[in-house]
Amino acid sequence: MNDNKNNRSQTRAARQLIESWQRSGVTHIKRVVPVMPEKTVVEESQQVNPSGAKPRTVSKELQSSANQGVLFRENDPSPINTVIETEEPRKEMSVTRTTKSKLKKADRQAELNIIADQVAQCQKCPELASTRTQTVFGVGNPAAKIMFIGEAPGADEDRQGEPFVGRAGKLLDKIIEACQLKRSDIYIANILRCRPPGNRNPSDTEAANCRGFLDAQIEIVDPDYIVCWGSVAAKNLLRSELPIGKMRGRFYEYGRARVVCTYHPSYLLRNPSAKKNVWDDMIDLFQDMGIDLKAQS
């Protein structure tokens, strides 16, 4: 009974540790490789301890976590077992949230500020770091029910340090107003936090380098709904290769958030006829929230 209770406590501690790393913007850690005897879990009756002290067993659940590079223990500073470090990073640090955050709005903003400071110092992408005027982190309500995710900063965003402030941003503001909301009601971010030269699409490496920051923002804001504006946002968030036209018209899941994919405002500037499609997507989104936009328009 006590062993089961300890295992649950250890698992809970691991989850809390990973979430705290994520909120701090940590995306990679050195992988920890346990040095094990031939049998990873040894029965107490088979262990030999020269000191005469009763040996401590390692649960299979805890052993599994150690093999994944996460070592943890509550109220026990001694190591689980001898370890060596490798330089191989963990490919995925993010753990998408499945329960609603209880953080207060001010606390969420404070944590976002910590991540924003780390973003401002980021040099992971040498070309972007050398050509940017400044990083563009994110703006809006840190406890928003709806989070918008775009592609990357453009020239106007790079100059002002805020996402969606150019021509596409002005169109986005009109869409927000048509939904009976204000820009400050929503949290807005991008796949990248630096402007790609010439406004080219982000490379896979750049998107991967910036993914931890995006996931930290999602984790902290903890929105009920996410809107991916354009194929770059949709493909990177949902790991999909489908064109945006085929991703429209349905809901996806990311953690506990329901995700809608639609055309980017810059696409609408070039193709005004697609505005109706975006409005239909907004109607579907708000209908899922229990709000009839058609009645309010």
Side-chain angles (χ1 to χ4, degrees):
M1 180 69 71
N2 288 336
D3 287 343
N4 290 336
K5 184 177 180 180
N6 288 338
N7 291 343
R8 287 195 297 269
S9 296
Q10 291 164 346
T11 302
R12 184 171 61 254
R15 185 168 58 251
Q16 292 171 346
L17 179 60
I18 291 172
E19 288 184 354
S20 69
W21 279 336
Q22 189 178 47
R23 287 194 295 269
S24 298
V26 177
T27 58
H28 295 86
I29 61 172
K30 291 183 179 180
R31 185 179 181 184
V32 181
V33 181
V35 177
M36 299 292 181
E38 289 186 4
K39 293 184 178 181
T40 56
V41 179
V42 183
E43 298 294 335
E44 289 187 17
S45 60
Q46 296 176 335
Q47 292 181 337
V48 178
N49 192 326
S51 67
K54 185 177 180 179
R56 178 172 56 82
T57 59
V58 180
S59 71
K60 291 182 179 179
E61 186 174 36
L62 183 58
Q63 190 68 61
S64 174
S65 295
N67 285 329
Q68 295 175 28
V70 181
L71 300 184
F72 59 90
R73 183 182 295 98
E74 282 189 337
N75 303 321
D76 187 351
S78 61
I80 295 175
N81 38 51
T82 305
V83 300
I84 57 175
E85 289 185 346
T86 73
E87 294 296 331
E88 180 185 353
R90 294 189 60 176
K91 291 190 169 34
E92 291 291 342
M93 183 47 126
S94 304
V95 179
T96 52
R97 178 177 287 284
T98 57
T99 57
K100 189 172 180 63
S101 173
K102 296 181 180 179
L103 277 179
K104 295 180 180 179
K105 186 175 180 179
D107 293 332
R108 298 188 200 207
Q109 186 60 61
E111 293 197 359
L112 287 170
N113 291 342
I114 292 173
I115 308 301
D117 288 341
Q118 295 178 352
V119 167
Q121 301 173 41
C122 181
Q123 301 288 323
K124 291 179 182 179
C125 306
E127 181 184 23
L128 303 189
S130 64
T131 58
R132 72 191 181 204
T133 301
Q134 59 187 313
T135 55
V136 181
F137 182 64
V139 294
N141 182 355
K145 291 186 177 182
I146 303 174
M147 182 173 181
F148 286 176
I149 299 177
E151 178 180 314
D156 293 309
E157 289 78 12
D158 178 66
R159 183 169 53 254
Q160 298 184 42
E162 184 174 332
F164 284 100
V165 292
R167 289 182 63 217
K170 288 180 172 57
L171 179 54
L172 183 66
D173 289 343
K174 292 181 179 179
I175 296 172
I176 293 172
E177 291 173 7
C179 294
Q180 308 299 312
L181 292 174
K182 295 176 292 187
R183 187 180 174 98
S184 58
D185 294 325
I186 298 166
Y187 190 83
I188 306 175
N190 280 313
I191 293 298
L192 292 193
R193 275 130 208 86
C194 297
R195 179 197 180 196
N199 291 347
R200 61 166 172 76
N201 286 342
S203 70
D204 291 342
T205 299
E206 291 165 347
N209 287 341
C210 226
R211 181 57 183 265
F213 298 131
L214 174 63
D215 282 332
Q217 288 171 295
I218 296 173
E219 164 73 14
I220 295 167
V221 176
D222 187 29
D224 296 329
Y225 293 88
I226 295 174
V227 180
C228 290
W229 294 93
S231 60
V232 171
K235 290 179 180 180
N236 277 281
L237 182 72
L238 301 174
R239 308 296 190 195
S240 171
E241 293 301 323
L242 288 174
I244 193 67
K246 291 188 176 181
M247 296 186 75
R248 290 184 54 252
R250 56 166 293 186
F251 286 91
Y252 301 84
E253 303 293 328
Y254 188 78
R256 73 173 202 85
R258 289 171 64 75
V259 182
V260 170
C261 303
T262 192
Y263 295 115
H264 194 281
S266 62
Y267 177 83
L268 301 183
L269 293 174
R270 302 189 302 271
N271 301 274
S273 62
K275 290 180 181 179
K276 181 183 182 303
N277 299 116
V278 172
W279 182 239
D280 289 341
D281 294 334
M282 294 300 103
I283 289 174
D284 290 343
L285 167 64
F286 279 82
Q287 184 176 9
D288 197 73
M289 297 171 62
I291 300 172
D292 186 357
L293 283 183
K294 290 186 289 188
Q296 298 184 26
S297 59

